[in-house]
Amino acid sequence: MLAILTIVTPVFGIMFAGWLTERFRYLPEDSAKVIALFSFNVAMPAFLFRAMQEIGEVPEAPWKFAVAYFGGVVLVWAAATLITQFILRRSLADGASISLASCFGNTVMLGVPLALSAFGPDAAAPLGILVSLDSLVLWLIATVHIEWAARRERTVPLLLAIAGVVADLLRNPIVMSIVIGTIWRVIGLGVPDLVDRFLALLGQAAVPTGLFAMGMSLATYRITGQLPTLATIVLMKLVLMPLAVYMLAGPIFGLPPVWVAVATLTAAMPVGANAFLFAAKYDRAVGSVSAAIAVSTVAAVGWSSAVLYLLQID
């Protein structure tokens, strides 16, 4: 258990430092935004590009891993949609935001550092697959869901809305750094030692600045929204999602233990900020999703430790 705390405590400690900084106004206003932009647009792409160069031989077919993870997404999405309509008595359009929040985790800022700390370089390959596909697949599903639900009020054609999502992702520095890094490695171009040292130094800032900015942003989230909806999102994201992914990745597909562990740990991450951006864009369940981000992130302090313990990571 001490080994698990050694992995988890520094990650959440940096987040707590960010929260304290914002809570007591130690830095100027909008500092969180600037730090987050640096991490997301500059440091993290360097970190991920370099990580793609260090991936060794992939021990399993990547499609199995993708099907296992996103198969879990489909199961949880369907369950969240049904609960939204028939138990929470909310609209199908609200169900898009609620379902996305139930599946979309904070993979980059929390999942990546925790998985790399726990499993080492062997986690780079499955993490690269997840990070490169996660936003694309979930945003597309959510867009189709809400555009179909609001088809009578739609002002933009569905295909045009989907094309807009794809265009946004192609401009996403996180996704493109993985894509370019993977192509670079497959072609075998190599990275000069001087460039590699530069990327390594820059990439070292990615995780701490991202976690710090995330902690600062938590101080601004408000615990609002309907309690049943909030509880549904948190339970689906922290419990049902990792359970579904674990069953598919382990017992059903029989993936290597580290890949199963990475998939399960990533699935157990708290609700990601992109779920809030989607909810705010369409003005659907905004308060509940915002509250779920704050609550699930605080709960993740203990929950991620429990997941690592259950995965028997020593």
Side-chain angles (χ1 to χ4, degrees):
M1 192 63 185
L2 180 60
I4 294 174
L5 290 176
T6 302
I7 295 169
V8 173
T9 302
V11 171
F12 289 100
I14 294 175
M15 287 178 55
F16 183 61
W19 182 86
L20 286 175
T21 299
E22 181 66 17
R23 179 68 178 81
F24 293 101
R25 305 292 183 184
Y26 184 68
L27 293 178
E29 190 176 356
D30 290 336
S31 294
K33 181 179 180 179
V34 174
I35 296 172
L37 285 173
F38 167 77
S39 177
F40 189 85
N41 291 345
V42 181
M44 189 59 75
F47 173 81
L48 292 174
F49 176 87
R50 190 170 182 271
M52 293 304 100
Q53 309 310 306
E54 298 179 346
I55 293 177
E57 182 180 352
V58 177
E60 194 59 62
W63 70 265
K64 288 186 179 180
F65 181 77
V67 170
Y69 188 86
F70 293 107
V73 167
V74 170
L75 293 174
V76 174
W77 198 291
T81 300
L82 292 173
I83 290 173
T84 299
Q85 282 195 275
F86 298 109
I87 297 179
L88 300 177
R89 301 293 181 181
R90 300 186 67 149
S91 68
L92 184 60
D94 284 351
S97 292
I98 294 169
S99 297
L100 180 62
S102 299
C103 300
F104 205 123
N106 196 336
T107 303
V108 174
M109 294 305 177
L110 274 181
V112 169
L114 283 175
L116 289 176
S117 296
F119 314 122
D122 290 341
L127 283 173
I129 295 171
L130 279 183
V131 174
S132 60
L133 292 177
D134 201 26
S135 294
L136 173 63
V137 173
L138 290 175
W139 270 89
L140 284 177
I141 295 174
T143 300
V144 171
H145 184 154
I146 201 163
E147 291 292 341
W148 175 259
R151 58 192 179 279
R152 294 179 181 176
E153 306 171 4
R154 186 189 304 148
T155 57
V156 178
L158 178 58
L159 290 179
L160 188 58
I162 293 175
V165 173
V166 175
D168 287 341
L169 291 172
L170 290 176
R171 293 192 294 266
N172 186 307
I174 298 295
V175 174
M176 292 313 299
S177 65
I178 292 175
V179 172
I180 295 173
T182 301
I183 295 174
W184 197 279
R185 178 178 61 84
V186 171
I187 294 176
L189 294 176
V191 180
D193 185 62
L194 184 62
V195 176
D196 183 66
R197 289 175 179 271
F198 166 75
L199 292 174
L201 184 60
L202 183 60
Q204 287 174 6
V207 171
T209 54
L211 292 172
F212 193 85
M214 184 181 174
M216 294 180 72
S217 67
L218 281 178
T220 64
Y221 283 116
R222 299 179 61 188
I223 308 299
T224 60
Q226 298 180 13
L227 182 59
T229 302
L230 169 61
T232 297
I233 295 173
V234 173
L235 289 174
M236 298 285 273
K237 183 66 195 73
L238 296 184
V239 180
L240 184 59
M241 179 72 180
L243 180 61
V245 169
Y246 173 80
M247 293 302 296
L248 288 170
I252 295 179
F253 283 96
L255 294 172
V258 170
W259 287 52
V260 174
V262 169
T264 305
L265 179 64
T266 305
M269 289 298 96
V271 182
N274 277 345
F276 172 77
L277 297 178
F278 181 88
K281 177 180 179 180
Y282 290 98
D283 194 24
R284 295 288 181 175
V286 178
S288 297
V289 173
S290 174
I293 292 173
V295 172
S296 63
T297 302
V298 173
V301 177
W303 181 241
S304 57
S305 300
V307 171
L308 285 171
Y309 181 78
L310 292 173
L311 290 171
Q312 298 182 346
I313 299 302
D314 187 357

